[in-house]
Short mmCIF file of all heavy atoms in Angstrom, two decimals:
data_model
loop_
_atom_site.label_atom_id
_atom_site.label_comp_id
_atom_site.label_asym_id
_atom_site.label_seq_id
_atom_site.Cartn_x
_atom_site.Cartn_y
_atom_site.Cartn_z
N GLU A 11 46.65 -60.70 19.06
CA GLU A 11 46.87 -61.24 20.38
C GLU A 11 46.12 -60.45 21.45
O GLU A 11 45.58 -61.02 22.37
CB GLU A 11 48.37 -61.23 20.69
CG GLU A 11 48.72 -61.97 21.95
CD GLU A 11 50.22 -62.04 22.14
OE1 GLU A 11 50.90 -62.54 21.25
OE2 GLU A 11 50.66 -61.55 23.17
N LYS A 12 46.09 -59.13 21.31
CA LYS A 12 45.40 -58.30 22.30
C LYS A 12 44.12 -57.69 21.75
O LYS A 12 43.61 -56.72 22.27
CB LYS A 12 46.33 -57.19 22.78
CG LYS A 12 47.51 -57.70 23.57
CD LYS A 12 48.29 -56.57 24.15
CE LYS A 12 49.45 -57.09 24.96
NZ LYS A 12 50.19 -56.01 25.58
N THR A 13 43.60 -58.29 20.69
CA THR A 13 42.36 -57.79 20.08
C THR A 13 41.24 -58.79 20.32
O THR A 13 41.44 -59.99 20.18
CB THR A 13 42.55 -57.60 18.57
OG1 THR A 13 43.63 -56.69 18.35
CG2 THR A 13 41.31 -57.02 17.94
N VAL A 14 40.08 -58.27 20.72
CA VAL A 14 38.89 -59.11 20.88
C VAL A 14 37.77 -58.52 20.03
O VAL A 14 37.74 -57.32 19.80
CB VAL A 14 38.44 -59.21 22.35
CG1 VAL A 14 39.44 -59.97 23.17
CG2 VAL A 14 38.20 -57.85 22.95
N VAL A 15 36.89 -59.38 19.56
CA VAL A 15 35.72 -58.93 18.82
C VAL A 15 34.53 -59.01 19.76
O VAL A 15 34.23 -60.07 20.31
CB VAL A 15 35.48 -59.81 17.57
CG1 VAL A 15 34.23 -59.35 16.84
CG2 VAL A 15 36.67 -59.74 16.65
N VAL A 16 33.87 -57.87 19.98
CA VAL A 16 32.76 -57.77 20.91
C VAL A 16 31.48 -57.61 20.12
O VAL A 16 31.37 -56.71 19.28
CB VAL A 16 32.95 -56.58 21.87
CG1 VAL A 16 31.81 -56.49 22.86
CG2 VAL A 16 34.28 -56.68 22.60
N LYS A 17 30.51 -58.47 20.37
CA LYS A 17 29.21 -58.38 19.71
C LYS A 17 28.25 -57.67 20.65
O LYS A 17 28.04 -58.12 21.78
CB LYS A 17 28.70 -59.78 19.38
CG LYS A 17 27.40 -59.80 18.63
CD LYS A 17 26.99 -61.22 18.31
CE LYS A 17 25.68 -61.28 17.58
NZ LYS A 17 25.27 -62.66 17.32
N VAL A 18 27.68 -56.58 20.19
CA VAL A 18 26.73 -55.79 20.98
C VAL A 18 25.34 -56.03 20.41
O VAL A 18 25.09 -55.75 19.24
CB VAL A 18 27.09 -54.29 20.95
CG1 VAL A 18 26.08 -53.49 21.73
CG2 VAL A 18 28.49 -54.07 21.48
N GLU A 19 24.46 -56.57 21.23
CA GLU A 19 23.08 -56.82 20.81
C GLU A 19 22.15 -55.81 21.48
O GLU A 19 22.32 -55.52 22.66
CB GLU A 19 22.64 -58.23 21.19
CG GLU A 19 23.34 -59.32 20.43
CD GLU A 19 22.85 -60.69 20.79
OE1 GLU A 19 22.23 -60.85 21.87
OE2 GLU A 19 23.10 -61.62 20.01
N ARG A 20 21.20 -55.32 20.73
CA ARG A 20 20.19 -54.43 21.31
C ARG A 20 18.83 -54.85 20.78
O ARG A 20 18.69 -55.27 19.63
CB ARG A 20 20.48 -52.97 21.02
CG ARG A 20 20.67 -52.63 19.58
CD ARG A 20 21.23 -51.23 19.39
NE ARG A 20 21.52 -51.03 17.99
CZ ARG A 20 20.66 -50.49 17.13
NH1 ARG A 20 19.49 -50.06 17.55
NH2 ARG A 20 20.98 -50.37 15.86
N ARG A 21 17.85 -54.75 21.63
CA ARG A 21 16.49 -55.14 21.26
C ARG A 21 15.68 -53.88 20.92
O ARG A 21 15.60 -52.96 21.73
CB ARG A 21 15.82 -55.88 22.41
CG ARG A 21 16.52 -57.16 22.76
CD ARG A 21 15.95 -57.76 24.03
NE ARG A 21 16.77 -58.88 24.47
CZ ARG A 21 16.54 -60.14 24.14
NH1 ARG A 21 15.52 -60.45 23.37
NH2 ARG A 21 17.32 -61.09 24.59
N THR A 22 15.12 -53.86 19.71
CA THR A 22 14.31 -52.73 19.29
C THR A 22 12.97 -53.25 18.79
O THR A 22 12.85 -54.41 18.38
CB THR A 22 14.99 -51.94 18.14
OG1 THR A 22 15.21 -52.81 17.04
CG2 THR A 22 16.31 -51.35 18.59
N GLN A 23 12.00 -52.40 18.83
CA GLN A 23 10.67 -52.76 18.36
C GLN A 23 10.54 -52.37 16.89
O GLN A 23 10.95 -51.28 16.49
CB GLN A 23 9.62 -52.05 19.19
CG GLN A 23 8.25 -52.66 19.07
CD GLN A 23 7.28 -52.08 20.09
OE1 GLN A 23 7.50 -50.99 20.61
NE2 GLN A 23 6.21 -52.79 20.35
N HIS A 24 9.99 -53.28 16.08
CA HIS A 24 9.80 -52.99 14.66
C HIS A 24 8.80 -51.85 14.53
O HIS A 24 7.75 -51.85 15.19
CB HIS A 24 9.27 -54.24 13.94
CG HIS A 24 9.32 -54.12 12.45
ND1 HIS A 24 8.33 -53.49 11.74
CD2 HIS A 24 10.24 -54.54 11.55
CE1 HIS A 24 8.64 -53.52 10.45
NE2 HIS A 24 9.80 -54.16 10.31
N PRO A 25 9.10 -50.84 13.69
CA PRO A 25 8.24 -49.66 13.61
C PRO A 25 6.83 -49.94 13.11
O PRO A 25 5.88 -49.27 13.53
CB PRO A 25 8.99 -48.72 12.67
CG PRO A 25 10.00 -49.54 11.97
CD PRO A 25 10.29 -50.72 12.84
N LEU A 26 6.66 -50.91 12.21
CA LEU A 26 5.33 -51.17 11.64
C LEU A 26 4.62 -52.31 12.36
O LEU A 26 3.45 -52.18 12.73
CB LEU A 26 5.48 -51.49 10.15
CG LEU A 26 4.20 -51.79 9.39
CD1 LEU A 26 3.25 -50.58 9.43
CD2 LEU A 26 4.50 -52.16 7.95
N TYR A 27 5.32 -53.42 12.57
CA TYR A 27 4.66 -54.61 13.09
C TYR A 27 4.71 -54.74 14.61
O TYR A 27 3.96 -55.52 15.17
CB TYR A 27 5.28 -55.86 12.44
CG TYR A 27 5.14 -55.82 10.94
CD1 TYR A 27 6.25 -55.71 10.12
CD2 TYR A 27 3.88 -55.86 10.35
CE1 TYR A 27 6.12 -55.67 8.75
CE2 TYR A 27 3.75 -55.80 8.97
CZ TYR A 27 4.87 -55.71 8.18
OH TYR A 27 4.74 -55.65 6.83
N GLY A 28 5.58 -54.02 15.27
CA GLY A 28 5.62 -54.03 16.73
C GLY A 28 6.37 -55.19 17.34
O GLY A 28 6.49 -55.27 18.56
N LYS A 29 6.88 -56.12 16.55
CA LYS A 29 7.62 -57.26 17.08
C LYS A 29 9.00 -56.81 17.55
O LYS A 29 9.62 -55.93 16.96
CB LYS A 29 7.76 -58.33 15.99
CG LYS A 29 8.47 -59.57 16.46
CD LYS A 29 8.51 -60.62 15.38
CE LYS A 29 9.28 -61.82 15.89
NZ LYS A 29 9.28 -62.92 14.95
N VAL A 30 9.49 -57.43 18.63
CA VAL A 30 10.81 -57.11 19.14
C VAL A 30 11.85 -57.81 18.27
O VAL A 30 11.81 -59.01 18.08
CB VAL A 30 10.94 -57.54 20.61
CG1 VAL A 30 12.34 -57.29 21.12
CG2 VAL A 30 9.93 -56.81 21.47
N VAL A 31 12.79 -57.02 17.75
CA VAL A 31 13.81 -57.51 16.85
C VAL A 31 15.17 -57.29 17.50
O VAL A 31 15.41 -56.25 18.10
CB VAL A 31 13.76 -56.77 15.49
CG1 VAL A 31 14.79 -57.31 14.53
CG2 VAL A 31 12.38 -56.84 14.89
N ILE A 32 16.07 -58.28 17.39
CA ILE A 32 17.42 -58.15 17.94
C ILE A 32 18.35 -57.67 16.84
O ILE A 32 18.53 -58.32 15.82
CB ILE A 32 17.91 -59.48 18.52
CG1 ILE A 32 17.00 -59.93 19.66
CG2 ILE A 32 19.35 -59.36 19.00
CD1 ILE A 32 17.33 -61.30 20.19
N ARG A 33 18.94 -56.51 17.05
CA ARG A 33 19.94 -55.95 16.13
C ARG A 33 21.31 -56.14 16.79
O ARG A 33 21.44 -55.99 17.99
CB ARG A 33 19.71 -54.46 15.90
CG ARG A 33 18.33 -54.12 15.40
CD ARG A 33 18.24 -54.30 13.92
NE ARG A 33 16.94 -53.89 13.45
CZ ARG A 33 16.46 -54.19 12.29
NH1 ARG A 33 17.16 -54.92 11.46
NH2 ARG A 33 15.26 -53.79 11.92
N SER A 34 22.32 -56.46 15.98
CA SER A 34 23.64 -56.67 16.56
C SER A 34 24.71 -56.00 15.71
O SER A 34 24.56 -55.85 14.49
CB SER A 34 23.95 -58.15 16.71
OG SER A 34 23.97 -58.76 15.45
N GLU A 35 25.78 -55.58 16.39
CA GLU A 35 26.95 -55.00 15.73
C GLU A 35 28.19 -55.65 16.35
O GLU A 35 28.16 -56.08 17.49
CB GLU A 35 27.04 -53.49 16.00
CG GLU A 35 26.08 -52.65 15.21
CD GLU A 35 26.31 -51.17 15.48
OE1 GLU A 35 27.14 -50.57 14.79
OE2 GLU A 35 25.68 -50.65 16.40
N LYS A 36 29.27 -55.69 15.59
CA LYS A 36 30.53 -56.22 16.09
C LYS A 36 31.57 -55.10 16.11
O LYS A 36 31.69 -54.34 15.16
CB LYS A 36 31.03 -57.36 15.21
CG LYS A 36 30.24 -58.62 15.35
CD LYS A 36 30.86 -59.74 14.53
CE LYS A 36 30.06 -61.01 14.67
NZ LYS A 36 30.67 -62.10 13.87
N PHE A 37 32.28 -55.02 17.23
CA PHE A 37 33.34 -54.03 17.40
C PHE A 37 34.63 -54.75 17.73
O PHE A 37 34.63 -55.73 18.47
CB PHE A 37 33.02 -53.06 18.54
CG PHE A 37 31.78 -52.25 18.33
CD1 PHE A 37 30.60 -52.57 18.97
CD2 PHE A 37 31.80 -51.15 17.50
CE1 PHE A 37 29.46 -51.83 18.78
CE2 PHE A 37 30.65 -50.39 17.31
CZ PHE A 37 29.48 -50.73 17.95
N LYS A 38 35.75 -54.26 17.20
CA LYS A 38 37.06 -54.78 17.58
C LYS A 38 37.59 -53.89 18.70
O LYS A 38 37.61 -52.66 18.57
CB LYS A 38 38.01 -54.79 16.39
CG LYS A 38 37.61 -55.80 15.36
CD LYS A 38 38.67 -56.03 14.34
CE LYS A 38 38.21 -57.11 13.38
NZ LYS A 38 39.18 -57.35 12.33
N ALA A 39 38.00 -54.52 19.80
CA ALA A 39 38.43 -53.78 20.97
C ALA A 39 39.80 -54.26 21.43
O ALA A 39 40.16 -55.42 21.25
CB ALA A 39 37.41 -53.95 22.10
N HIS A 40 40.55 -53.35 22.05
CA HIS A 40 41.86 -53.66 22.60
C HIS A 40 41.68 -54.26 23.98
O HIS A 40 40.95 -53.72 24.81
CB HIS A 40 42.70 -52.38 22.67
CG HIS A 40 44.10 -52.61 23.09
ND1 HIS A 40 45.01 -53.24 22.30
CD2 HIS A 40 44.75 -52.27 24.23
CE1 HIS A 40 46.17 -53.30 22.92
NE2 HIS A 40 46.03 -52.72 24.10
N ASP A 41 42.35 -55.38 24.24
CA ASP A 41 42.15 -56.12 25.48
C ASP A 41 43.47 -56.27 26.23
O ASP A 41 44.31 -57.07 25.87
CB ASP A 41 41.57 -57.50 25.17
CG ASP A 41 41.38 -58.36 26.40
OD1 ASP A 41 41.17 -57.78 27.48
OD2 ASP A 41 41.45 -59.58 26.28
N GLU A 42 43.66 -55.47 27.29
CA GLU A 42 44.83 -55.60 28.16
C GLU A 42 44.52 -56.52 29.34
O GLU A 42 45.43 -57.04 29.96
CB GLU A 42 45.25 -54.22 28.70
CG GLU A 42 45.91 -53.33 27.68
CD GLU A 42 47.34 -53.74 27.35
OE1 GLU A 42 47.96 -54.44 28.17
OE2 GLU A 42 47.82 -53.38 26.27
N ILE A 43 43.24 -56.72 29.65
CA ILE A 43 42.82 -57.48 30.82
C ILE A 43 43.01 -58.98 30.61
O ILE A 43 43.42 -59.70 31.52
CB ILE A 43 41.35 -57.17 31.15
CG1 ILE A 43 41.19 -55.67 31.42
CG2 ILE A 43 40.88 -57.98 32.34
CD1 ILE A 43 39.77 -55.22 31.50
N GLY A 44 42.72 -59.47 29.42
CA GLY A 44 42.85 -60.89 29.14
C GLY A 44 41.55 -61.63 29.35
O GLY A 44 41.47 -62.57 30.14
N CYS A 45 40.51 -61.24 28.64
CA CYS A 45 39.21 -61.92 28.78
C CYS A 45 39.15 -63.13 27.87
O CYS A 45 39.90 -63.24 26.90
CB CYS A 45 38.06 -60.95 28.50
SG CYS A 45 38.16 -60.13 26.92
N ASP A 46 38.27 -64.05 28.21
CA ASP A 46 38.10 -65.29 27.46
C ASP A 46 36.88 -65.20 26.55
O ASP A 46 36.05 -64.29 26.69
CB ASP A 46 37.93 -66.47 28.41
CG ASP A 46 39.17 -66.67 29.27
OD1 ASP A 46 40.28 -66.54 28.74
OD2 ASP A 46 39.01 -66.96 30.48
N GLU A 47 36.74 -66.17 25.65
CA GLU A 47 35.59 -66.22 24.76
C GLU A 47 34.33 -66.50 25.57
O GLU A 47 34.30 -67.41 26.39
CB GLU A 47 35.80 -67.32 23.73
CG GLU A 47 34.72 -67.38 22.68
CD GLU A 47 34.99 -68.43 21.62
OE1 GLU A 47 36.14 -68.83 21.46
OE2 GLU A 47 34.02 -68.84 20.96
N GLY A 48 33.31 -65.70 25.36
CA GLY A 48 32.04 -65.87 26.06
C GLY A 48 31.87 -64.94 27.25
O GLY A 48 30.79 -64.89 27.84
N ASP A 49 32.90 -64.20 27.63
CA ASP A 49 32.79 -63.26 28.74
C ASP A 49 31.93 -62.07 28.34
O ASP A 49 31.94 -61.65 27.18
CB ASP A 49 34.16 -62.74 29.16
CG ASP A 49 35.00 -63.78 29.86
OD1 ASP A 49 34.46 -64.84 30.21
OD2 ASP A 49 36.20 -63.53 30.04
N ARG A 50 31.22 -61.52 29.31
CA ARG A 50 30.50 -60.26 29.09
C ARG A 50 31.44 -59.15 29.55
O ARG A 50 31.93 -59.17 30.68
CB ARG A 50 29.21 -60.21 29.90
CG ARG A 50 28.15 -61.12 29.36
CD ARG A 50 26.87 -60.96 30.16
NE ARG A 50 25.81 -61.74 29.57
CZ ARG A 50 24.94 -61.25 28.69
NH1 ARG A 50 25.02 -60.00 28.32
NH2 ARG A 50 24.00 -62.02 28.19
N VAL A 51 31.70 -58.20 28.65
CA VAL A 51 32.65 -57.13 28.95
C VAL A 51 32.03 -55.77 28.71
O VAL A 51 31.00 -55.64 28.03
CB VAL A 51 33.94 -57.26 28.10
CG1 VAL A 51 34.68 -58.53 28.43
CG2 VAL A 51 33.65 -57.19 26.63
N GLU A 52 32.66 -54.77 29.29
CA GLU A 52 32.26 -53.39 29.07
C GLU A 52 33.34 -52.75 28.21
O GLU A 52 34.53 -52.90 28.49
CB GLU A 52 32.16 -52.66 30.41
CG GLU A 52 31.67 -51.25 30.32
CD GLU A 52 31.56 -50.61 31.69
OE1 GLU A 52 30.54 -50.86 32.34
OE2 GLU A 52 32.50 -49.89 32.09
N ILE A 53 32.93 -52.05 27.12
CA ILE A 53 33.90 -51.41 26.25
C ILE A 53 33.70 -49.90 26.28
O ILE A 53 32.62 -49.41 26.62
CB ILE A 53 33.83 -51.94 24.80
CG1 ILE A 53 32.45 -51.72 24.19
CG2 ILE A 53 34.23 -53.39 24.74
CD1 ILE A 53 32.37 -52.09 22.71
N MET A 54 34.77 -49.19 25.93
CA MET A 54 34.75 -47.73 25.96
C MET A 54 35.44 -47.22 24.69
O MET A 54 36.45 -47.79 24.26
CB MET A 54 35.51 -47.27 27.20
CG MET A 54 35.78 -45.83 27.32
SD MET A 54 36.69 -45.57 28.85
CE MET A 54 37.64 -44.19 28.35
N GLU A 55 34.89 -46.19 24.09
CA GLU A 55 35.48 -45.63 22.88
C GLU A 55 36.77 -44.91 23.24
O GLU A 55 36.88 -44.26 24.27
CB GLU A 55 34.51 -44.67 22.21
CG GLU A 55 34.92 -44.30 20.81
CD GLU A 55 33.84 -43.56 20.06
OE1 GLU A 55 32.88 -43.10 20.69
OE2 GLU A 55 33.97 -43.44 18.83
N THR A 56 37.76 -45.04 22.38
CA THR A 56 39.07 -44.44 22.62
C THR A 56 39.63 -43.91 21.30
O THR A 56 38.99 -44.01 20.26
CB THR A 56 40.01 -45.47 23.26
OG1 THR A 56 41.25 -44.83 23.56
CG2 THR A 56 40.25 -46.65 22.37
N ARG A 57 40.83 -43.40 21.34
CA ARG A 57 41.47 -42.91 20.12
C ARG A 57 41.73 -44.08 19.19
O ARG A 57 41.80 -45.22 19.64
CB ARG A 57 42.77 -42.19 20.45
CG ARG A 57 43.81 -43.10 21.05
CD ARG A 57 45.08 -42.34 21.39
NE ARG A 57 46.04 -43.21 22.02
CZ ARG A 57 46.87 -44.03 21.38
NH1 ARG A 57 46.86 -44.09 20.06
NH2 ARG A 57 47.71 -44.78 22.05
N PRO A 58 41.88 -43.84 17.89
CA PRO A 58 42.16 -44.95 16.98
C PRO A 58 43.48 -45.64 17.32
O PRO A 58 44.53 -45.01 17.38
CB PRO A 58 42.24 -44.29 15.62
CG PRO A 58 41.51 -43.01 15.75
CD PRO A 58 41.68 -42.59 17.18
N LEU A 59 43.41 -46.95 17.58
CA LEU A 59 44.59 -47.73 17.91
C LEU A 59 45.14 -48.44 16.68
O LEU A 59 46.32 -48.77 16.63
CB LEU A 59 44.27 -48.75 19.00
CG LEU A 59 43.76 -48.15 20.31
CD1 LEU A 59 43.25 -49.23 21.22
CD2 LEU A 59 44.88 -47.38 20.99
N SER A 60 44.28 -48.69 15.71
CA SER A 60 44.68 -49.28 14.44
C SER A 60 43.61 -48.92 13.42
O SER A 60 42.75 -48.09 13.69
CB SER A 60 44.85 -50.80 14.56
OG SER A 60 43.60 -51.40 14.78
N LYS A 61 43.64 -49.57 12.27
CA LYS A 61 42.68 -49.24 11.21
C LYS A 61 41.25 -49.50 11.64
O LYS A 61 40.35 -48.73 11.33
CB LYS A 61 43.02 -50.06 9.97
CG LYS A 61 42.13 -49.77 8.79
CD LYS A 61 42.52 -50.60 7.58
CE LYS A 61 41.59 -50.35 6.43
NZ LYS A 61 41.95 -51.18 5.26
N GLN A 62 41.02 -50.58 12.39
CA GLN A 62 39.65 -50.95 12.77
C GLN A 62 39.40 -50.89 14.26
O GLN A 62 38.27 -51.07 14.69
CB GLN A 62 39.36 -52.37 12.28
CG GLN A 62 39.41 -52.49 10.78
CD GLN A 62 39.24 -53.92 10.32
OE1 GLN A 62 39.54 -54.85 11.05
NE2 GLN A 62 38.75 -54.10 9.11
N LYS A 63 40.42 -50.67 15.08
CA LYS A 63 40.26 -50.68 16.54
C LYS A 63 40.10 -49.27 17.08
O LYS A 63 41.03 -48.48 17.06
CB LYS A 63 41.47 -51.34 17.20
CG LYS A 63 41.21 -52.70 17.67
CD LYS A 63 42.23 -53.30 18.62
CE LYS A 63 43.65 -53.03 18.41
NZ LYS A 63 44.50 -53.90 19.24
N HIS A 64 38.89 -48.96 17.59
CA HIS A 64 38.62 -47.65 18.19
C HIS A 64 37.98 -47.82 19.57
O HIS A 64 37.38 -46.88 20.08
CB HIS A 64 37.68 -46.84 17.30
CG HIS A 64 38.20 -46.64 15.91
ND1 HIS A 64 39.15 -45.69 15.60
CD2 HIS A 64 37.95 -47.29 14.76
CE1 HIS A 64 39.42 -45.74 14.31
NE2 HIS A 64 38.71 -46.72 13.77
N TRP A 65 38.05 -49.01 20.12
CA TRP A 65 37.43 -49.33 21.40
C TRP A 65 38.44 -50.05 22.27
O TRP A 65 39.39 -50.64 21.78
CB TRP A 65 36.21 -50.23 21.20
CG TRP A 65 35.15 -49.60 20.36
CD1 TRP A 65 35.08 -49.61 19.01
CD2 TRP A 65 34.03 -48.84 20.80
NE1 TRP A 65 33.98 -48.92 18.57
CE2 TRP A 65 33.31 -48.43 19.65
CE3 TRP A 65 33.56 -48.47 22.04
CZ2 TRP A 65 32.17 -47.67 19.73
CZ3 TRP A 65 32.41 -47.72 22.12
CH2 TRP A 65 31.72 -47.32 20.98
N ARG A 66 38.22 -50.02 23.61
CA ARG A 66 39.04 -50.84 24.50
C ARG A 66 38.16 -51.42 25.59
O ARG A 66 37.13 -50.85 25.96
CB ARG A 66 40.21 -50.07 25.07
CG ARG A 66 39.86 -49.02 26.08
CD ARG A 66 41.14 -48.33 26.57
NE ARG A 66 40.81 -47.11 27.26
CZ ARG A 66 40.66 -47.03 28.57
NH1 ARG A 66 40.84 -48.09 29.32
NH2 ARG A 66 40.34 -45.89 29.12
N VAL A 67 38.56 -52.58 26.10
CA VAL A 67 37.82 -53.27 27.15
C VAL A 67 38.16 -52.59 28.47
O VAL A 67 39.33 -52.48 28.84
CB VAL A 67 38.19 -54.76 27.20
CG1 VAL A 67 37.49 -55.45 28.34
CG2 VAL A 67 37.85 -55.43 25.88
N THR A 68 37.14 -52.12 29.21
CA THR A 68 37.38 -51.46 30.48
C THR A 68 37.29 -52.44 31.65
O THR A 68 38.07 -52.34 32.59
CB THR A 68 36.39 -50.31 30.72
OG1 THR A 68 35.05 -50.80 30.60
CG2 THR A 68 36.61 -49.21 29.71
N ARG A 69 36.31 -53.37 31.60
CA ARG A 69 36.20 -54.34 32.68
C ARG A 69 35.42 -55.54 32.20
O ARG A 69 34.69 -55.48 31.21
CB ARG A 69 35.53 -53.74 33.91
CG ARG A 69 34.06 -53.41 33.73
CD ARG A 69 33.50 -52.71 34.97
NE ARG A 69 32.11 -52.41 34.78
CZ ARG A 69 31.13 -53.11 35.34
NH1 ARG A 69 31.38 -54.12 36.14
NH2 ARG A 69 29.87 -52.77 35.13
N ILE A 70 35.60 -56.65 32.93
CA ILE A 70 34.86 -57.87 32.67
C ILE A 70 33.66 -57.88 33.60
O ILE A 70 33.81 -57.86 34.82
CB ILE A 70 35.73 -59.12 32.88
CG1 ILE A 70 36.90 -59.10 31.92
CG2 ILE A 70 34.91 -60.39 32.71
CD1 ILE A 70 37.92 -60.19 32.15
N VAL A 71 32.46 -57.86 33.04
CA VAL A 71 31.24 -57.83 33.83
C VAL A 71 30.91 -59.23 34.37
O VAL A 71 30.58 -59.37 35.55
CB VAL A 71 30.06 -57.29 32.98
CG1 VAL A 71 28.76 -57.33 33.76
CG2 VAL A 71 30.35 -55.89 32.47
N GLU A 72 31.03 -60.24 33.51
CA GLU A 72 30.70 -61.61 33.92
C GLU A 72 31.62 -62.58 33.20
O GLU A 72 31.75 -62.54 31.99
CB GLU A 72 29.23 -61.91 33.54
CG GLU A 72 28.73 -63.26 33.94
CD GLU A 72 27.30 -63.49 33.48
OE1 GLU A 72 26.55 -62.52 33.30
OE2 GLU A 72 26.96 -64.67 33.29
N LYS A 73 32.29 -63.43 33.99
CA LYS A 73 33.19 -64.44 33.42
C LYS A 73 32.35 -65.62 32.91
O LYS A 73 31.29 -65.93 33.43
CB LYS A 73 34.18 -64.96 34.46
CG LYS A 73 35.25 -63.97 34.84
CD LYS A 73 36.22 -63.70 33.74
CE LYS A 73 37.26 -64.78 33.60
NZ LYS A 73 38.23 -64.50 32.55
N VAL A 74 32.88 -66.31 31.89
CA VAL A 74 32.21 -67.49 31.35
C VAL A 74 32.40 -68.64 32.36
O VAL A 74 33.39 -68.70 33.06
CB VAL A 74 32.79 -67.84 29.95
CG1 VAL A 74 34.21 -68.31 30.04
CG2 VAL A 74 31.93 -68.85 29.27
N LYS A 75 31.40 -69.50 32.44
CA LYS A 75 31.47 -70.59 33.42
C LYS A 75 31.95 -71.87 32.82
O LYS A 75 31.92 -72.12 31.68
CB LYS A 75 30.08 -70.82 34.01
CG LYS A 75 29.64 -69.62 34.81
CD LYS A 75 28.27 -69.81 35.40
CE LYS A 75 27.89 -68.56 36.15
NZ LYS A 75 26.55 -68.58 36.65
#
């Protein structure tokens, strides 16, 4: 109920070919604010809250339209 999955994308350049590649990771974060699907949020590392939750949502950067 208070857990959100946050996908973090970063753009890196391929070491050999030079093409820009998008790498992504998924983090489970604790959500007290109540963000919706599609929102851009800021997360912060925190103490372990459960087996897989080590992050929490600090603020909503951009709401979904």
Side-chain angles (χ1 to χ4, degrees):
E11 189 175 303
K12 293 187 179 183
T13 303
V14 292
V15 178
V16 181
K17 183 178 179 183
V18 178
E19 291 182 342
R20 54 192 174 93
R21 298 172 189 267
T22 59
Q23 197 170 21
H24 192 277
L26 180 61
Y27 301 114
K29 182 176 178 176
V30 176
V31 182
I32 299 174
R33 304 277 184 196
S34 63
E35 284 184 88
K36 288 184 180 180
F37 298 102
K38 291 192 178 178
H40 186 70
D41 178 29
E42 287 285 339
I43 301 169
C45 55
D46 298 319
E47 185 177 339
D49 289 348
R50 288 183 175 266
V51 296
E52 183 178 278
I53 59 174
M54 172 180 149
E55 193 170 14
T56 183
R57 64 181 177 83
L59 300 170
S60 68
K61 182 179 177 181
Q62 297 175 335
K63 256 194 322 192
H64 303 280
W65 299 86
R66 70 180 165 94
V67 176
T68 54
R69 68 185 180 104
I70 298 173
V71 177
E72 182 182 335
K73 288 292 280 181
V74 68
K75 294 179 182 175

